[in-house]
């Protein structure tokens, strides 16, 4: 009973804090919301060339050497390392192993599906990386399409709507090939996984959905710029809940968006919807 009461208390406090943030933002606009926001494709460009090398039949030594000398040093790849080393022992070599397991070039004994039919992390990784290799030309066209879209200003303006006026939106967006987190934020480093680019039913890129992801991650950056001055050590969990809950509710439109994901042709989105519906009550 105590644990349930504690959870309820945290949820209530987080909800109140989210509402206070929303009220504080109402009617305010960031004076210069696009300040210092950039998009970097270097890791994706190098990773696409690396996948082409694999497709052309390169040997294992050449594959490893090319990754470590061309892909791993990019700032985008290092942002992935910085993201996951917060939770586990992680470096460029471990990331290469992670990718090669996804491509099926390194044996991995884990199951691809859970008992309920949803994909495990390995199953999702295997699906994403093998699909990228099999549809490499399409992936290259997708990157070119995303480059042509000026998402930055629109995403920044959307994120700024739900932040106090003095929140700082300073971020480097790295477009990467990952197969883990679809998007992430580590300080001023924001990553977006091309392998998990949202798509419409006809297979074309869903730019609107991509825009929401950009705005969501930028919201984290703005929230983090204020977090230390607002949240005390004793209430950091509340800060974490509010930091994730605010953009999930205001920008992504969850929990209602779970119904949209349930109708999607994207299996990963179906799994997200299933999880929402399972735990929402």
């Amino acid at each position: 009973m105590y644990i349930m009461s504690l959870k309820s208390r945290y949820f209530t406090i987080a909800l109140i804090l989210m509402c206070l943030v929303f009220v504080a933002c109402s009617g305010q606009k960031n004076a210069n919301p696009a300040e210092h926001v950039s998009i970097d494709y270097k890791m994706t460009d190098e990773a696409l060339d690396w996948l082409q090398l694999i497709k052309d039949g390169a040997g294992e030594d050449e594959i490893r050497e090319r990754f470590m000398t061309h892909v791993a040093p990019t700032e985008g790849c290092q942002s992935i390392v910085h993201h996951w080393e917060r939770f586990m022992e992680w470096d460029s070599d471990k990331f290469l192993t992670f990718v090669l397991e996804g491509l099926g070039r390194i044996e991995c004994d884990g199951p691809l599906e859970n008992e309920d039919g949803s994909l495990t992390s390995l199953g999702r990784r295997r699906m994403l990386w093998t699909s990228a290799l099999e549809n490499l030309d399409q992936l290259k066209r997708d990157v070119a399409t995303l480059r042509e879209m000026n998402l930055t200003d629109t995403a920044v303006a959307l994120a700024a709507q739900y932040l106090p006026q003095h929140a700082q939106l300073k971020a480097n967006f790295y477009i990467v090939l990952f197969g883990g987190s679809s998007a992430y934020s580590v300080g001023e480093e924001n990553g977006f996984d091309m392998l998990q680019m949202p798509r419409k039913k006809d297979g074309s890129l869903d730019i609107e959905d991509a825009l929401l992801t950009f705005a969501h991650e930028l919201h984290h950056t703005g929230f983090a710029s204020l977090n230390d001055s607002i949240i005390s050590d004793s209430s950091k969990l509340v800060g974490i809940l509010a930091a994730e809950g605010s953009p999930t509710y205001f920008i992504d439109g969850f929990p209602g968006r779970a119904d949209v994901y349930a109708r999607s042709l994207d299996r990963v989105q179906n799994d997200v919807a299933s999880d929402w519906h399972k735990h929402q009550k």
Side-chain angles (χ1 to χ4, degrees), residues 88-105:
M88 66 191 84
E89 186 178 343
W90 199 253
D91 55 28
S92 298
D93 192 66
K94 285 183 170 56
F95 178 47
L96 174 57
T97 299
F98 174 90
V99 174
L100 293 176
E101 288 175 347
L103 288 167
R105 301 186 73 92

Side-chain angles (χ1 to χ4, degrees), residues 129-180:
W129 278 102
T130 56
S131 176
L133 188 61
E134 293 168 0
N135 302 283
L136 190 53
D137 289 340
Q138 179 62 55
L139 185 56
K140 290 177 181 178
R141 290 193 293 271
D142 292 344
V143 174
T145 299
L146 190 62
R147 265 193 168 105
E148 294 172 0
M149 305 292 176
N150 186 16
L151 293 175
T152 307
D153 290 345
T154 308
V156 169
L158 178 58
Q161 286 183 33
Y162 304 106
L163 287 166
Q165 188 175 18
H166 53 292
Q168 297 297 307
L169 293 175
K170 297 181 180 180
N172 296 315
F173 257 118
Y174 296 104
I175 310 301
V176 299
L177 304 190
F178 187 4

Side-chain angles (χ1 to χ4, degrees), residues 227-237:
N227 207 22
D228 290 340
S229 63
I230 296 175
I231 305 298
S232 64
D233 288 341
S234 63
S235 55
K236 278 188 175 179
L237 177 57

Side-chain angles (χ1 to χ4, degrees), residues 2-278:
Y2 175 76
I3 294 176
M4 291 302 294
S5 176
L6 189 59
K7 286 182 177 178
S8 298
R9 206 170 302 162
Y10 276 132
F11 179 80
T12 302
I13 295 172
L15 186 60
I16 292 171
L17 185 54
M18 285 168 58
C19 293
L20 289 174
V21 170
F22 179 67
V23 170
C25 309
S26 298
Q28 297 185 8
K29 293 183 179 179
N30 197 309
N32 187 14
E35 182 182 8
H36 301 306
V37 176
S38 63
I39 300 181
D40 183 306
Y41 288 86
K42 183 65 174 176
M43 189 272 187
T44 289
D45 292 339
E46 294 290 352
L48 289 173
D49 289 344
W50 179 72
L51 285 174
Q52 187 65 60
L53 190 74
I54 294 175
K55 198 159 189 173
D56 292 342
E60 297 300 321
D61 290 343
E62 186 179 4
I63 290 171
R64 177 171 290 274
E65 190 274 337
R66 178 65 174 268
F67 185 93
M68 297 305 291
T69 58
H70 287 75
V71 181
T74 63
E75 292 182 350
C77 190
Q78 289 306 303
S79 75
I80 294 174
V81 173
H82 298 158
H83 169 43
W84 267 17
E85 70 181 358
R86 295 180 298 172
F87 316 115
M88 66 191 84
E89 186 178 343
W90 199 253
D91 55 28
S92 298
D93 192 66
K94 285 183 170 56
F95 178 47
L96 174 57
T97 299
F98 174 90
V99 174
L100 293 176
E101 288 175 347
L103 288 167
R105 301 186 73 92
I106 290 181
E107 291 292 333
C108 195
D109 296 332
L112 301 181
E113 292 187 351
N114 296 304
E115 291 183 1
D116 63 1
S118 62
L119 293 172
T120 63
S121 59
L122 174 61
R124 183 166 58 252
R125 191 189 342 160
R126 181 70 53 83
M127 178 190 70
L128 293 170
W129 278 102
T130 56
S131 176
L133 188 61
E134 293 168 0
N135 302 283
L136 190 53
D137 289 340
Q138 179 62 55
L139 185 56
K140 290 177 181 178
R141 290 193 293 271
D142 292 344
V143 174
T145 299
L146 190 62
R147 265 193 168 105
E148 294 172 0
M149 305 292 176
N150 186 16
L151 293 175
T152 307
D153 290 345
T154 308
V156 169
L158 178 58
Q161 286 183 33
Y162 304 106
L163 287 166
Q165 188 175 18
H166 53 292
Q168 297 297 307
L169 293 175
K170 297 181 180 180
N172 296 315
F173 257 118
Y174 296 104
I175 310 301
V176 299
L177 304 190
F178 187 4
S181 306
S182 60
Y184 54 89
S185 179
V186 187
E188 295 182 5
E189 293 181 342
N190 292 267
F192 187 92
D193 186 11
M194 275 300 302
L195 300 183
Q196 300 181 68
M197 169 65 71
R199 297 184 178 279
K200 297 180 180 179
K201 290 183 178 181
D202 63 2
S204 62
L205 297 181
D206 190 333
I207 299 300
E208 180 184 354
D209 203 325
L211 169 64
L212 295 179
T213 303
F214 273 76
H216 180 116
E217 296 307 316
L218 278 171
H219 189 283
H220 284 321
T221 300
F223 199 101
S225 74
L226 304 172
N227 207 22
D228 290 340
S229 63
I230 296 175
I231 305 298
S232 64
D233 288 341
S234 63
S235 55
K236 278 188 175 179
L237 177 57
V238 175
I240 292 170
L241 291 172
E244 191 61 56
S246 296
T248 299
Y249 180 79
F250 292 121
I251 295 175
D252 301 345
F254 280 92
R257 197 168 182 81
D259 295 333
V260 177
Y261 275 22
R263 298 190 296 269
S264 170
L265 298 179
D266 186 312
R267 187 170 180 183
V268 174
Q269 289 189 348
N270 295 159
D271 288 349
V272 171
S274 177
D275 226 28
W276 268 94
H277 291 144
K278 179 179 179 181

